Amino acid sequence: MPEEEKINTPTLNYHFKELTNLITNENSMSSYQNILNDFLEHWPLEKVEAISLDQYVDIQNRATFTQWVENRTIELGSISGLFGSRMFGMYKRNGSDPLDGYANDELYTWNKKYGNDRNVAFSEIKKHLIDIINCSLTGNFSKIDAIPIPDIFKWKVAYLYSNERLIPIFQREVLKEIATYYGLSVNSKTTVSAIQKVLIDNKPLDLNTHEFMVELWAKFRPQKKKPKGISTPQQDQGEKSTNDQKRSGTSSYIAKQTHNIIQNKLRNMLIAEYGESCVACEKNYVDLTLTYKDTITLYEVKSDAYAATCIRQALGQIIQYAHRLDPTKKVKLYIVGQYPLKDNEKPYLSYIQKNFKVDLNYMNIDLT
């Protein structure tokens, strides 16, 4: 069974205030994306695969992986609390006594289940960390439940590499209350991945994961009365600022990697079915073009974690590409993402198909 994390209510409420202040700032969404991109640029998978113990955890060193996850990305979800540094699997003591019930040497303390030697223990933790990241990158979240790293830490790591396919709330008691509200029968055996699936399935189309997190946290944080409803009306935002604003990049490290993986996998699938001579990659800026018999099929790949957003991002591009094609050919258009359409996204695609009168469809490429 996963270790239960205790909730430090004053700490969580303090971080809620910080999150609220950030989310109401006019540049809050770009701030979130900047923080996430900064983390992913500093800690891509290949760097984690080569990580050393002192790069993983150290004393008064903000550059370590654990410092990045706990403190330097705190605006993306807080994991601070009474569980402390034990959530990392092992930690370096700062003059404190060895911890009873744990393995200790002259510098480090770690959970005994990882081994009797610090190097053996770190090697085991590192293997688990890489497994978490790989599962998250491919969307195979159910496998993360069984990885023996404390929940509150491993799910924060999973979120950071998930292409925002998880909601960044990590305290188990809060997650259980939200899941119960949405109709999931929760008990001690209910997994975090099952709860996260419920949250993702109920995420409104007009909210990104950060906005949804703040809305949920405001209503379900500890010592707050359970709400009657989850939706709140959007307030008039008034006149928009016309001052120069710093904006984040349009895609993160994960997004770029995901786009390339989807594109390559789809290309191989098309070549296997139609032959390499029928498939063009990046021809006239189109991700993939299939020319077969009297039909030209264009595929525009998007890496967003939600099908509706992929459609919104790709729609203008793919129609622009289509209008340049030979009018004597039949044209089909596909927008391609990693995840299938959710039930609340299907009417959006149906509306486009009906009103634009274009042969446009969405397909997903499973990366698991």
Side-chain angles (χ1 to χ4, degrees):
M1 291 298 296
E3 298 180 63
E4 293 282 343
E5 293 84 21
K6 297 180 181 179
I7 296 178
N8 185 336
T9 299
T11 300
L12 296 184
N13 285 337
Y14 167 78
H15 291 312
F16 167 71
K17 292 179 182 178
E18 295 296 308
L19 290 168
T20 302
N21 290 338
L22 186 62
I23 202 72
T24 54
N25 183 278
E26 63 182 276
N27 291 322
S28 60
M29 286 303 101
S30 61
S31 297
Y32 275 121
Q33 194 63 59
N34 285 336
I35 294 166
L36 181 57
N37 287 351
D38 201 21
F39 170 81
L40 294 170
E41 287 171 4
H42 278 82
W43 290 106
L45 174 59
E46 54 267 26
K47 185 174 179 180
V48 178
E49 289 173 334
I51 196 172
S52 63
L53 176 54
D54 60 351
Q55 289 174 319
Y56 179 69
V57 66
D58 203 354
I59 299 171
Q60 297 179 344
N61 180 1
R62 282 177 51 80
T64 63
F65 182 85
T66 51
Q67 276 288 313
W68 270 95
V69 174
E70 181 181 13
N71 295 315
R72 296 184 68 171
T73 59
I74 196 168
E75 291 90 345
L76 306 183
S78 173
I79 57 173
S80 298
L82 294 178
F83 205 64
S85 298
R86 290 174 294 161
M87 66 182 167
F88 307 142
M90 70 185 306
Y91 64 93
K92 192 173 185 179
R93 298 193 305 279
N94 187 13
S96 59
D97 293 331
L99 190 63
D100 290 341
Y102 283 72
N104 301 273
D105 63 13
E106 68 278 11
L107 293 176
Y108 293 90
T109 293
W110 63 91
N111 195 307
K112 292 179 180 179
K113 65 186 176 185
Y114 301 128
N116 295 322
D117 172 85
R118 84 164 67 148
N119 294 320
V120 172
F122 176 64
S123 178
E124 190 72 7
I125 291 167
K126 178 178 173 179
K127 179 176 73 69
H128 296 323
L129 184 66
I130 293 169
D131 287 344
I132 292 166
I133 294 171
N134 278 319
C135 287
S136 192
L137 287 170
T138 58
N140 200 353
F141 300 119
S142 62
K143 283 194 172 182
I144 296 175
D145 290 306
I147 296 175
I149 294 289
D151 275 1
I152 197 165
F153 180 67
K154 74 180 177 185
W155 284 105
K156 175 69 179 284
V157 172
Y159 163 74
L160 292 169
Y161 291 92
S162 72
N163 196 19
E164 300 185 59
R165 191 69 187 184
L166 297 170
I167 303 300
I169 294 175
F170 309 107
Q171 289 72 29
R172 187 171 178 83
E173 291 304 316
V174 179
L175 287 170
K176 286 164 63 176
E177 187 174 356
I178 297 170
T180 300
Y181 173 82
Y182 281 121
L184 182 67
S185 180
V186 179
N187 56 46
S188 60
K189 295 183 179 180
T190 304
T191 62
V192 173
S193 67
I195 294 174
Q196 281 286 349
K197 184 179 185 303
V198 170
L199 268 59
I200 288 296
D201 287 345
N202 284 279
K203 184 186 76 68
L205 289 179
D206 59 336
L207 297 181
N208 63 35
T209 55
H210 301 110
E211 292 167 330
F212 192 39
M213 174 270 287
V214 171
E215 183 175 284
L216 291 173
W217 188 253
K219 296 179 181 296
F220 291 98
R221 72 185 190 272
Q223 295 186 349
K224 189 171 181 69
K225 187 177 179 180
K226 187 174 180 179
K228 294 182 179 179
I230 198 69
S231 298
T232 55
Q234 186 173 3
Q235 301 298 315
D236 180 11
Q237 300 299 306
E239 185 175 349
K240 296 291 185 180
S241 171
T242 57
N243 296 329
D244 291 341
Q245 297 179 22
K246 181 180 179 181
R247 297 293 183 187
S248 63
T250 57
S251 60
S252 68
Y253 167 85
I254 294 296
K256 292 175 183 176
Q257 294 294 99
T258 302
H259 179 282
N260 294 342
I261 294 169
I262 294 172
Q263 185 177 17
N264 290 338
K265 189 168 183 178
L266 177 58
R267 178 177 179 270
N268 292 335
M269 290 168 56
L270 294 174
I271 289 173
E273 184 170 353
Y274 298 101
E276 190 168 3
S277 62
C278 295
V279 180
C281 184
E282 303 290 351
K283 180 181 178 181
N284 296 324
Y285 305 104
V286 182
D287 285 327
L288 289 163
T289 303
L290 171 66
T291 305
Y292 186 71
K293 296 182 178 179
D294 65 341
T295 302
I296 299 176
T297 306
L298 305 184
Y299 298 87
E300 181 62 24
V301 176
K302 293 298 176 185
S303 57
D304 195 89
Y306 301 93
T309 308
C310 291
I311 294 169
R312 185 170 68 246
Q313 292 173 347
L315 187 59
Q317 283 178 278
I318 202 165
I319 290 177
Q320 182 182 18
Y321 298 152
H323 98 278
R324 302 191 302 233
L325 298 176
D326 184 347
T328 65
K329 295 279 189 178
K330 183 179 179 182
V331 176
K332 292 185 177 181
L333 308 177
Y334 279 92
I335 295 169
V336 187
Q338 179 179 354
Y339 293 96
L341 282 160
K342 298 191 299 177
D343 287 343
N344 66 345
E345 295 174 316
K346 292 176 182 177
Y348 174 50
L349 178 59
S350 297
Y351 177 86
I352 294 170
Q353 292 168 329
K354 178 180 178 181
N355 289 277
F356 282 68
K357 301 187 185 303
V358 61
D359 192 351
L360 173 73
N361 286 284
Y362 175 84
M363 65 182 294
N364 74 289
I365 301 296
D366 188 358
L367 301 184
T368 58

